[in-house]
Amino acid sequence: MPASTLTIDLNALTGNWRALDALSAASTETAAVVKADAYGLGVAGTCPALHRAGVSSFFTALTQEAVAVRQAIGQDADIYSFSGYSARTAADLKQHNLIPVLSAPEHVQDFLEAGSPQPFAVQLDTGMNRMGLEPAEFAALKERILGAKPALILSHLACADEPDHPQNTAQLRAFKGMTDGLGLRRSLAATGGTLLGPEYQFDLCRTGIGMYGGAPFAAASPVVTVSIPVLQIRDVAVGESVGYGAAWVAKRPTRLATIAAGYADGLIRAMCFGNVSLFSKGTACPMVGRVSMDLITVDITDLDHRPEALEILNATQTVDKLADQAGTIGYEMLTSLGGRYNRVYVGGQSNTGTP
Ligand SMILES: *Cc1c(COP(=O)(O)O)cnc(C)c1O
């Protein structure tokens, strides 16, 4: 069975990064958040292009992800790991010159007591209550932290995709209250915070989803196309049913294409209860019946040709539109796509083709 193809437009990716970078002052750095294998698009395929485009700081969730970024781009960039510092990860952090983001008092203490000369960052909690030092915890450790000269001090906004949410200004106030006057490099904004404007941008913005073409960066260029091979084409008569549960019944003589991907490819079953199309040469064909593990059925009656493949993600049906039909968000859509796709990278200067 031929693999589905996930095509990543590196020019769109780097263009989105540049567009986000242009929203902040020249003195504000725009870093790339590449956790979860670059939001499912592949660290090895995307990070070198971002690095060539000018990204000099990368953020990951896990130490092993940070190691993979180091291996993809070489020594000449700062790579942060949100998972912090522990005895278990210390050796990797040191060997690969990674910057742990210390987000709990124990992490700060363990790191400082280990006496490692490597750079580190500190995350503060300004109201999200997920990660980071609370104001009192920070106050108790402040002198020791300042003495060790953190490379960056950061916090994360809970509601930045809702510009009018009162928690944005509350978190901004809390962050300034904890960090004003300390003379440290500061970062508060992810994609949503970057879009909230200069007050939120400080010295470094940590952009993720916007680079990959997702909301809330409405001006983003689409980065991802997913094309799924057609396995079979068949005609069904009025009254015949299709797929599990016989859930869809033909109301007209229907030409069906069965395509080679399903919920095991992150095309979650919930999307068959929404209004999802698959595309051939720009023509939308409705998904019909239940999504199976490895198969989806599509009504191609209105096509004037026999398609070899159908697209489920493209510039028309973007990650956010598809996610919305499945009751989820673009972030989850992208990171769920999984390992069965043939990832193909196009554009990005010299980096054409699969790495
Ligand atoms: C994921 C994440 C980001 C990036 O967020 P986007 O909304 O994808 O831009 C930034 N900072 C932290 C702490 C994160 O967890």
Side-chain angles (χ1 to χ4, degrees), residues 33 35 39 82 123 130 154-156 189-192 206-210 212 216 331:
V33 181
K35 61 197 181 189
Y39 289 41
F82 288 129
Q123 180 163 205
R130 186 181 69 167
L154 61 103
S155 188
H156 194 52
T191 299
R206 310 181 305 272
T207 60
I209 195 71
Y212 305 104
Y331 297 79

